[in-house]
Amino acid sequence: MKEFFEGIAYFFEEILLWPFKQLAILEQDNWWLANTVSWLCIIVLIVALAYWIKQLRIFEANGEEDHTQTAHSFLGKDQK
């Protein structure tokens, strides 16, 4: 059972978090380049959020948005 949890730890630490380790190493060598990568990610997220809000406003202007309480299946159900 110990090997199972060590395998999970290895997967997260060595595989999924590898880009963050590389970014930390890059920061030691070149602070400006490491922060440029971070700012590019932030800019991409801001552009995506702006596009999403624009699309929501288009649906709102066309009257396609459903504002009723039961518009979504999880709304209006009894919580028992």
Side-chain angles (χ1 to χ4, degrees):
M1 191 65 172
K2 180 180 177 184
E3 293 83 14
F4 174 73
F5 290 110
E6 287 176 351
I8 292 173
Y10 174 80
F11 178 70
F12 278 93
E13 292 173 0
E14 301 298 328
I15 297 173
L16 288 182
L17 297 178
W18 179 81
F20 296 107
K21 283 184 180 182
Q22 295 304 313
L23 198 56
I25 292 169
L26 177 63
E27 185 180 14
Q28 300 299 320
D29 296 333
N30 190 340
W31 183 85
W32 288 102
L33 186 59
N35 281 321
T36 301
V37 171
S38 298
W39 278 104
L40 286 174
C41 291
I42 291 171
I43 290 169
V44 167
L45 289 174
I46 289 171
V47 168
L49 182 64
Y51 176 76
W52 182 35
I53 291 172
K54 178 184 165 212
Q55 291 298 315
L56 287 174
R57 287 185 181 170
I58 290 171
F59 279 99
E60 179 70 30
N62 291 339
E64 297 176 32
E65 185 68 25
D66 188 4
H67 291 286
T68 62
Q69 182 179 7
T70 57
H72 300 285
S73 63
F74 57 86
L75 296 175
K77 289 187 176 181
D78 293 331
Q79 302 293 325
K80 291 184 181 181

